[in-house]
Amino acid sequence: MQKESSQIQQEVQQLFSPHPVPKPLADPLSSLRPVVAFLIAIQLLMGTGLLVFGLVRGPVELLIQAGVLFVAPAFLIVVYALALPKQTTDIFYLRSFKKDASSYRIRELLEVVLGRGYRLSGIRDPRKRVPHFLKPLFLVPMMLAYAGSKYLNLEAKEDWKARLWRSLADAKGVVLDLRDLTEFVIEEIELVLVCIQPDRILFVVQSEREYAKLKNRLANNGVDVAPLGHVVVWDETMPGNEEEFASRCQTYCQQLPGHVAGLAVSAVPLIQGFVKSAQALRLEKASAWAQYAVGIALLFALSFISGEIDLLGEWPWLGVVLGALVVLQLAFLLNHFVGVVKKMRMARRFNPAYKLHLRADLLKGLWLGLMLIVLAAGLMFAGVRHIYAGYLDRAEQVRFESGYRILELITMDAFLSGGPTIVDTQTLLEILEPSSASLFKLNGKNLDMMNSPGSIWVAVPQTETEKATLGFSWAGMEIAPRCTFETLSKLAAELEIDSLIYERCSMNSR
């Protein structure tokens, strides 16, 4: 078998020489699967690293950043589980692009009947494709827009027929929608009938009488439809048509061979005019990579600008664009989620085993995403709580600094005006006005500020030549009248360096 396959490969290469053998149809969703897995892993690793570093070193900003990095992969994991295919296409749906809207229900039924063992797809309408340079920018919307789309998700350019021929070698079956026979559909039918055995082909028609007419028309075009091909009627106006359609599709599915069709050397003359040269393929590849590079550069630029609040203020449209992108992603995700639920309901009627598979994938993605979101929410809650506690502490420091300044001004005024001598906190409290005195309470030789861990005392009594010097403590740590550098370093850690109390202590240490 291996020798036979090798001989076929050599024969095919000789037939196409000097051009390379055509590649299969491009499959953006399958190509994105490792990319998305890599992005998820990187974000989780970065989030874990920031979490560990934040817990060890203590900066609360790191915990918040870790929470943000855990939310993003949660969203990607749900999309990864719901939208990205787990296998290559092995059942091809070929049709006129004008029938995309009306064929969506057909393909939903086919997917449900085929079950998890097959993947149904076809060539995407070129008018509905996302340009390469936009794919990095709109990664998640693009994945959700392509997955399960009525426009399908495989891509090709001018060499579509050659690439379809190569993809048919890996096919287990083909569904031909004959409800609109365009020139391109005729070409596809001719190619399929040469490449694929009759028992692998399912014909979708408007009615059996219409099929007879179509068969004659195909015969006039030199295309012979083998009598063994399966024929299934799709007419939504007929009662019970959906059940009949599903039943015939199940019969078709049950007799599909387990192995792929293999390369059809006899079909090579049909595709010779669609084969690109090696130089043309290199130029096409270079163009695609250049567009991807532009998209990635735009993504980094957008990420940088969106991180600058001032720039958002200067360009308010950027905030609108970012907000619209988030809404678009959520709308696509909700739409896809609804689509999966609809397929589960359909599978309950026609393929209960597939319903269990869809539900398992759905729950797996949702649970993994929910776990990461809960973890991120916990980290962000801890961070916000820490920030709020810091805000309250800062407010206490400002109140204490204000009260301390009032007492300093009183001692200076008493000294300059020859007022009562200030020798202890009792005399200082008696001089205060009632509104200011209500901020303090006498505690032995100290004046404690109400609802604050700060205390003030008279460090040096007022004399005729020197005004009274005040000392203070914060949370039991004596700060003034002179700070040692050990106290200063401890205070830097306690008050996060930028507080007013720290600044005063720094002055007192000189």
Side-chain angles (χ1 to χ4, degrees):
M1 188 70 180
Q2 290 182 349
K3 288 183 178 180
E4 184 180 346
S5 176
S6 177
Q7 289 175 354
I8 293 175
Q9 290 283 354
Q10 291 176 1
E11 183 180 351
V12 168
Q13 288 175 356
Q14 290 174 359
L15 286 172
F16 285 102
S17 183
H19 299 323
V21 178
K23 292 183 177 180
L25 294 164
D27 191 347
L29 291 184
S30 288
S31 301
L32 281 173
R33 193 170 179 85
V35 174
V36 175
F38 175 76
L39 290 176
I40 291 172
I42 288 296
Q43 288 176 326
L44 288 177
L45 285 173
M46 290 177 63
T48 304
L50 285 176
L51 172 61
V52 172
F53 192 69
L55 291 174
V56 172
R57 298 295 299 273
V60 70
E61 292 81 4
L62 294 180
L63 295 178
I64 296 175
Q65 291 175 22
V68 172
L69 285 171
F70 278 124
V71 170
F75 191 77
L76 281 177
I77 283 174
V78 175
V79 175
Y80 186 86
L82 287 179
L84 295 185
K86 300 175 179 62
Q87 61 192 89
T88 57
T89 299
D90 49 12
I91 304 291
F92 287 85
Y93 189 92
L94 304 178
R95 82 291 179 201
S96 165
F97 293 142
K98 291 187 292 184
K99 289 294 183 180
D100 276 339
S102 63
S103 70
Y104 187 49
R105 182 68 175 176
I106 296 175
R107 287 183 280 112
E108 279 187 322
L109 265 172
L110 279 168
E111 180 186 334
V112 167
V113 171
L114 289 167
R116 63 180 299 181
Y118 299 94
R119 178 186 168 201
L120 178 75
S121 190
I123 300 174
R124 188 174 182 82
D125 186 342
R127 296 167 297 181
K128 307 299 180 182
R129 292 173 192 165
V130 177
H132 290 319
F133 76 93
L134 287 179
K135 287 178 180 178
L137 282 171
F138 298 96
L139 178 63
V140 174
M142 190 275 289
M143 288 190 295
L144 292 171
Y146 270 56
S149 167
K150 63 183 178 181
Y151 305 111
L152 300 171
N153 50 50
L154 303 180
E155 294 183 348
K157 293 188 177 180
E158 299 83 5
D159 57 347
W160 67 270
K161 196 171 182 179
R163 299 190 74 166
L164 175 60
W165 167 82
R166 176 61 187 84
S167 292
L168 289 174
D170 301 321
K172 292 181 179 178
V174 176
V175 180
L176 287 170
D177 191 335
L178 305 182
R179 294 175 302 147
D180 183 24
L181 281 181
T182 65
E183 179 185 345
F184 290 110
V185 174
I186 294 289
E187 289 186 50
E188 288 175 339
I189 295 172
E190 183 181 10
L191 181 64
V192 168
L193 291 175
V194 176
C195 294
I196 302 294
Q197 298 90 338
D199 58 343
R200 295 179 184 265
I201 304 172
L202 178 68
F203 295 97
V204 178
V205 297
Q206 191 73 33
S207 68
E208 292 186 358
R209 185 168 53 185
E210 287 293 323
Y211 174 65
K213 294 180 181 179
L214 292 173
K215 190 175 180 181
N216 292 332
R217 179 180 172 183
L218 291 172
N220 293 334
N221 283 275
V223 180
D224 182 28
V225 179
L228 295 178
H230 295 274
V231 180
V232 59
V233 175
W234 179 260
D235 185 355
E236 292 178 291
T237 62
M238 292 175 54
N241 179 244
E242 200 169 87
E243 285 72 15
E244 178 66 20
F245 181 90
S247 176
R248 293 202 179 189
C249 288
Q250 285 171 341
T251 303
Y252 163 75
C253 179
Q254 289 166 1
Q255 57 81 52
L256 276 175
H259 58 279
V260 298
L263 283 171
V265 179
S266 57
V268 170
L270 298 174
I271 63 168
Q272 288 285 11
F274 293 83
V275 179
K276 287 187 175 181
S277 66
Q279 182 180 2
L281 290 173
R282 282 196 296 269
L283 289 174
E284 185 179 297
K285 187 175 182 179
S287 172
W289 279 109
Q291 291 186 58
Y292 282 127
V294 170
I296 293 171
L298 288 173
L299 180 63
F300 275 107
L302 189 63
S303 300
F304 172 76
I305 295 173
S306 64
E308 300 292 333
I309 303 301
D310 294 338
L311 291 177
L312 280 179
E314 294 175 13
W315 296 324
W317 58 267
L318 183 58
V320 174
V321 170
L322 293 173
L325 184 57
V326 172
V327 172
L328 181 66
Q329 292 182 172
L330 292 175
F332 270 122
L333 182 60
L334 179 61
N335 181 65
H336 196 81
F337 179 82
V338 171
V340 173
V341 173
K342 284 173 62 179
K343 287 178 185 176
M344 288 172 62
R345 293 179 61 186
M346 191 184 297
R348 184 173 58 188
R349 295 169 57 194
F350 302 116
N351 190 353
Y354 189 55
K355 176 193 173 184
L356 297 177
H357 169 70
L358 287 174
R359 186 170 64 184
D361 272 359
L362 180 63
L363 291 177
K364 182 167 58 178
L366 291 176
W367 276 114
L368 285 172
L370 183 61
M371 284 173 59
L372 289 180
I373 289 174
V374 168
L375 176 59
L379 289 171
M380 297 182 75
F381 174 76
V384 170
R385 184 178 178 183
H386 184 84
I387 290 174
Y388 181 66
Y391 166 78
L392 293 179
D393 188 58
R394 175 72 170 176
E396 289 179 355
Q397 294 173 32
V398 172
R399 283 183 62 249
F400 181 79
E401 176 68 17
S402 176
Y404 185 83
R405 182 59 177 162
I406 291 173
L407 298 182
E408 275 191 326
L409 291 174
I410 288 174
T411 58
M412 181 178 292
D413 181 68
F415 175 74
L416 294 176
S417 63
T421 302
I422 300 175
V423 293
D424 54 30
T425 52
Q426 177 68 49
T427 56
L428 184 59
L429 187 61
E430 291 172 356
I431 296 173
L432 289 174
E433 295 181 359
S435 59
S436 299
S438 63
L439 299 175
F440 302 96
K441 67 176 180 178
L442 195 62
N443 181 17
K445 295 182 178 181
N446 295 342
L447 276 180
D448 293 341
M449 177 168 276
M450 304 292 289
N451 302 318
S452 172
S455 294
I456 300 170
W457 70 90
V458 177
V460 178
Q462 179 177 304
T463 66
E464 293 182 359
T465 58
E466 186 178 0
K467 72 178 182 69
T469 301
L470 303 182
F472 67 90
S473 63
W474 184 262
M477 182 169 51
E478 292 192 359
I479 308 281
R482 292 290 183 267
C483 287
T484 65
F485 284 104
E486 290 79 8
T487 302
L488 191 62
S489 61
K490 183 177 180 182
L491 189 68
E494 287 283 334
L495 303 181
E496 299 180 357
I497 297 179
D498 62 341
S499 73
L500 298 172
I501 295 176
Y502 174 81
E503 292 170 6
R504 179 166 297 282
C505 184
S506 297
M507 294 173 60
N508 288 340
S509 68
R510 296 169 185 166

